């Protein structure tokens, strides 16, 4: 089992990315999933070797280095950077997946460039119109899935249909949801509420064998009423960032109030184990990486702020997707129920 890691991607690279790889190849749970795990570190060799100084030869065998001289910066144009920087760590990682030299790739770098590189090198699964980013969201009872979380800012109903199919596969195959409840994000639960995109998507979702529960509101993404929330990438990314912000607000506000006087401080110390469990539950680093669904090869995108712990968990997510053949099941689902044309829609007649 080989996972390629963009060692130069992220705000804290290569220090945290390399440390994350080290955590992964030393983690007993991950090694139980993949006893022969190798994490290929892709990036400037001298920078990576510096971070590996002092690591034993036994561990080094699990961390081969692939020299890539260029780096796609966060502020660069994704498509242009991928075309001009063919020797960048992001593009080289995607190339390894394309050539079946690794089973999956993980990058905390420029997310637009990661998607552009995946499309350029690997292409889409047959029948998939657009790839989508799927991410996990903490709920009252556990976790739910949000798709699309930012890959597409202007989608049509046929795209949302495929997002629903792909998100359901991720929830069922990778996260072990028995019969994921699929909801369409709208401004109200009533079928009569929404915009034209929602109405058109409703009609398509009713025709496929999903556990479709109809329209859901933003709160249903976190209150446990929905397992797979479907929306276009613009709305999804805004919703995701809002959820992250609320999590930070709750933790920061609680910490401030607990420290406000002696009584609450004592109470906080008593409740400290509960607070730790809650913090872990809402910590995005626990999820690690978000798979790009619809790409003909497993590519995972991690948060730009990822530290070593988040990188390790992104590698864990990649292993789960590979070991459970997520893409194989996804291909079958799209072939059976998601075959819709991406040709321009035929104009409707306006008169007799």
């Amino acid at each position: 089992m080989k996972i390629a890691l963009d060692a130069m991607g992220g705000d804290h690279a290569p220090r945290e990315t390399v440390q994350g790889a080290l955590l992964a190849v030393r983690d007993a749970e991950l090694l139980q999933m993949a006893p022969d795990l190798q994490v290929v570190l892709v990036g400037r060799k001298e920078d990576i070797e510096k971070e590996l100084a002092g690591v034993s030869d036994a561990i080094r065998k699990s961390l081969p280095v692939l020299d890539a001289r260029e780096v796609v910066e966060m502020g660069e144009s994704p498509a242009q950077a991928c075309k001009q920087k063919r020797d960048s760590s992001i593009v080289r990682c995607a190339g390894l997946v394309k050539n079946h030299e690794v089973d999956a790739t993980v990058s905390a770098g420029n997310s637009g460039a990661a998607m552009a590189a995946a499309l350029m090198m690997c292409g889409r699964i047959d029948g998939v119109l657009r790839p989508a980013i799927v991410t996990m969201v903490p709920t009252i009872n556990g976790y739910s899935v949000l798709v699309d979380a930012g890959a597409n800012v202007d989608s049509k109903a046929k795209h949302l249909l495929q997002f629903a199919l792909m998100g359901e596969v991720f929830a069922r195959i990778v996260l072990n949801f028995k019969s994921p409840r699929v909801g369409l994000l709208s401004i109200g639960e009533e079928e009569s509420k929404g915009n034209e995109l929602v109405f058109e998507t409703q009609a398509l979702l009713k025709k496929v064998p999903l556990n479709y529960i109809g329209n859901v509101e933003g709160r249903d993404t976190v209150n446990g009423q929905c397992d797979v929330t479907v929306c276009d990438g613009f709305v999804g990314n805004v919703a995701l960032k809002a959820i992250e912000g609320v999590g930070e607000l709750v933790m920061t506000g609680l910490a401030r109030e607990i420290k406000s006087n002696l009584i609450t401080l004592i109470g906080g110390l008593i409740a400290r184990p509960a607070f730790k469990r809650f913090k872990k539950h809402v910590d995005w680093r626990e999820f690690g990486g978000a798979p790009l669904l619809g790409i003909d090869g497993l590519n995972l995108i991690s948060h730009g702020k990822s530290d070593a712990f988040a990188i390790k968990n992104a590698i864990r997510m990649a292993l789960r997707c590979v070991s459970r053949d997520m893409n194989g099941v996804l291909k079958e689902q799209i072939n059976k129920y998601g075959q819709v044309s991406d040709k321009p829609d035929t104009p409707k007649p306006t008169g007799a």
Side-chain angles (χ1 to χ4, degrees):
M1 186 79 77
K2 286 186 178 182
I3 307 296
L5 176 62
D6 174 12
M8 311 308 294
D11 298 342
H12 310 296
R15 184 184 69 254
E16 293 297 324
T17 49
V18 173
Q19 289 301 313
L22 281 167
L23 289 178
V25 298
R26 289 169 171 165
D27 188 278
E29 183 182 349
L30 269 65
L31 292 177
Q32 189 173 13
M33 295 170 62
D36 57 346
L37 174 63
Q38 284 191 326
V39 179
V40 182
L41 299 171
V42 183
R44 291 173 180 156
K45 187 172 183 179
E46 64 274 16
D47 294 340
I48 296 172
E49 293 289 352
K50 183 178 179 181
E51 299 299 330
L52 289 173
V55 175
S56 68
D57 291 340
I59 295 296
R60 284 294 299 270
K61 290 180 180 178
S62 300
L63 298 170
V65 178
L66 176 64
D67 191 30
R69 304 310 304 168
E70 297 176 300
V71 177
V72 176
E73 304 296 343
M74 288 294 190
E76 290 190 73
S77 168
Q80 186 176 359
C82 288
K83 289 179 181 178
Q84 295 179 349
K85 294 184 174 181
R86 293 300 184 102
D87 194 32
S88 64
S89 52
I90 283 182
V91 175
R92 293 291 298 277
C93 279
L96 292 175
V97 175
K98 175 188 177 182
N99 296 326
H100 305 289
E101 296 178 61
V102 299
D103 299 288
T105 183
V106 173
S107 176
N110 184 315
S111 58
M115 187 173 77
L119 279 169
M120 181 175 70
M121 301 302 293
C122 302
R124 294 170 293 183
I125 289 172
D126 287 343
V128 171
L129 303 175
R130 293 185 182 179
I133 298 174
V134 61
T135 189
M136 295 168 61
V137 176
T139 70
I140 294 173
N141 302 319
Y143 299 98
S144 69
V145 169
L146 178 69
V147 57
D148 173 27
N152 307 276
V153 297
D154 186 16
S155 302
K156 297 180 180 180
K158 54 192 174 184
H159 303 139
L160 266 61
L161 167 65
Q162 293 194 342
F163 297 167
L165 292 167
M166 294 190 293
E168 190 271 349
V169 167
F170 175 76
R172 177 165 49 89
I173 300 300
V174 180
L175 304 183
N176 297 325
F177 284 77
K178 188 174 181 180
S179 180
R181 296 163 297 173
V182 179
L184 181 60
L185 190 60
S186 186
I187 58 173
E189 295 179 356
E190 298 83 358
E191 195 170 304
S192 59
K193 290 187 177 180
N195 54 20
E196 185 176 350
L197 176 61
V198 169
F199 298 145
E200 291 179 3
T201 306
Q202 286 174 355
L204 293 178
L205 290 176
K206 290 177 181 178
K207 297 177 181 178
V208 294
L210 294 174
N211 185 9
Y212 175 55
I213 61 174
N215 286 0
V216 295
E217 299 180 2
R219 62 188 175 201
D220 296 319
T221 303
V222 295
N223 67 9
Q225 299 301 310
C226 179
D227 300 317
V228 180
T229 302
V230 180
C231 56
D232 70 83
F234 183 89
V235 173
N237 194 262
V238 171
L240 179 63
K241 297 299 173 60
I243 292 169
E244 290 179 355
V246 170
E248 293 176 2
L249 171 65
V250 170
M251 295 306 301
T252 303
L254 277 174
R256 183 174 62 243
E257 293 301 323
I258 287 171
K259 296 176 182 178
S260 62
N261 60 65
L262 182 59
I263 295 176
T264 55
L265 183 59
I266 294 172
L269 290 173
I270 295 173
R272 190 174 182 181
F275 290 136
K276 280 188 173 181
R277 290 194 297 271
F278 177 75
K279 183 178 181 181
K280 180 179 180 180
H281 184 64
V282 300
D283 188 357
W284 58 266
R285 300 179 308 152
E286 294 285 341
F287 316 138
L292 264 174
L293 300 180
I295 296 294
D296 194 14
L298 282 169
N299 294 259
L300 281 80
I301 295 176
S302 296
H303 203 298
K305 296 180 181 178
S306 292
D307 59 7
F309 180 70
I311 294 296
K312 182 198 77 170
N313 286 330
I315 295 170
R316 182 203 307 274
M317 179 64 75
L319 289 176
R320 293 188 70 172
C321 292
V322 172
S323 63
R324 301 187 182 193
D325 191 25
M326 181 191 74
N327 264 9
V329 180
L330 193 151
K331 288 177 182 179
E332 293 179 4
Q333 193 83 330
I334 290 294
N335 185 53
K336 286 182 179 179
Y337 309 114
Q339 292 297 330
V340 285
S341 174
D342 199 26
K343 296 178 181 179
D345 297 327
T346 302
K348 297 179 180 179
T350 56

